[in-house]
Amino acid sequence: MSQADIYRYATMAAVFIVIFGLRARRMSQLRPLKLERLWIVPAIYLVIAVINIFFRPPAFAFTPPTASAWLALAIALVVGAAIGWQRGRMMQIHVDPETHALNQKGSPLAILFLLAIIAVKMIAQGEGRALGFDVALVTDAAFAFGLGLFTMTRVEMYLRAKRMLEEARGGRMA
């Protein structure tokens, strides 16, 4: 490992620590949870993933993926969805018994998931080149993983919050 690589990894670690510190502090506070807005992050990420996977060189249109590449993307999406479901379960959701207002409180473990994903992606891209990995496929798989993660996190939170809200209202929906 060269000195430049060590410097790059040390810089990434410092950035991770700062981001985690800022996010952990913010996550310890209750924030309003709007069920009607949970679809926004997955939708934005879907657009970013589609642009990245299909429209950046070498785009799928110009270099069609192999069957193994499609399989890798599907596996990344499914694994991301499974981890996203668990990440969603880690999010604390509170219903005010009087106003029925929903609030959420993040889990520090949830942000660790995200930091681990970024670290694995960066290491795979950096060291993967030396090992002969297809860096474009690694990047595309990371986007598929993230799409599954962000989508299923919100789906789990939506379903649980909806159920909790219904229970708080005495089993009837307004």
Side-chain angles (χ1 to χ4, degrees):
M1 187 179 294
S2 71
Q3 187 172 2
D5 288 338
I6 293 171
Y7 177 73
R8 190 176 81 211
Y9 290 131
T11 302
M12 286 187 318
V15 169
F16 287 161
I17 290 169
V18 169
I19 290 172
F20 180 73
L22 294 173
R23 290 287 297 168
R25 185 175 51 165
R26 185 172 170 229
M27 287 179 136
S28 66
Q29 302 167 350
L30 280 178
R31 295 175 308 178
L33 174 63
K34 305 289 184 193
L35 290 181
E36 63 275 4
R37 294 185 187 165
L38 284 175
W39 66 272
I40 294 173
V41 169
I44 291 170
Y45 197 79
L46 175 63
V47 170
I48 291 169
V50 166
I51 289 170
N52 180 71
I53 292 172
F54 290 102
F55 298 110
R56 65 136 172 78
F60 277 5
F62 303 112
T63 55
T66 63
S68 61
W70 280 114
L71 180 62
L73 293 177
I75 290 170
L77 182 68
V78 169
V79 170
I83 292 174
W85 187 268
Q86 292 303 315
R87 181 175 178 259
R89 290 182 59 210
M90 289 182 203
M91 301 293 185
Q92 297 176 26
I93 298 175
H94 303 276
V95 180
D96 185 291
E98 293 178 17
T99 65
H100 299 143
L102 290 167
N103 292 295
Q104 72 176 10
K105 186 176 180 180
S107 164
L109 286 177
I111 194 68
L112 283 177
F113 269 137
L114 295 178
L115 293 176
I117 294 164
I118 293 167
V120 167
K121 178 181 177 268
M122 294 180 87
I123 290 168
Q125 285 179 326
E127 301 300 322
R129 262 193 198 101
L131 297 173
F133 288 170
D134 180 352
V135 175
L137 180 58
V138 171
T139 300
D140 293 345
F143 272 102
F145 182 91
L147 180 61
L149 178 98
F150 292 133
T151 301
M152 291 311 290
T153 295
R154 266 71 180 179
V155 167
E156 196 285 332
M157 289 174 64
Y158 176 85
L159 293 173
R160 188 162 39 103
K162 192 91 165 159
R163 186 186 73 242
M164 292 171 71
L165 191 57
E166 187 174 324
E167 289 171 2
R169 291 178 176 161
R172 58 176 168 71
M173 289 302 292

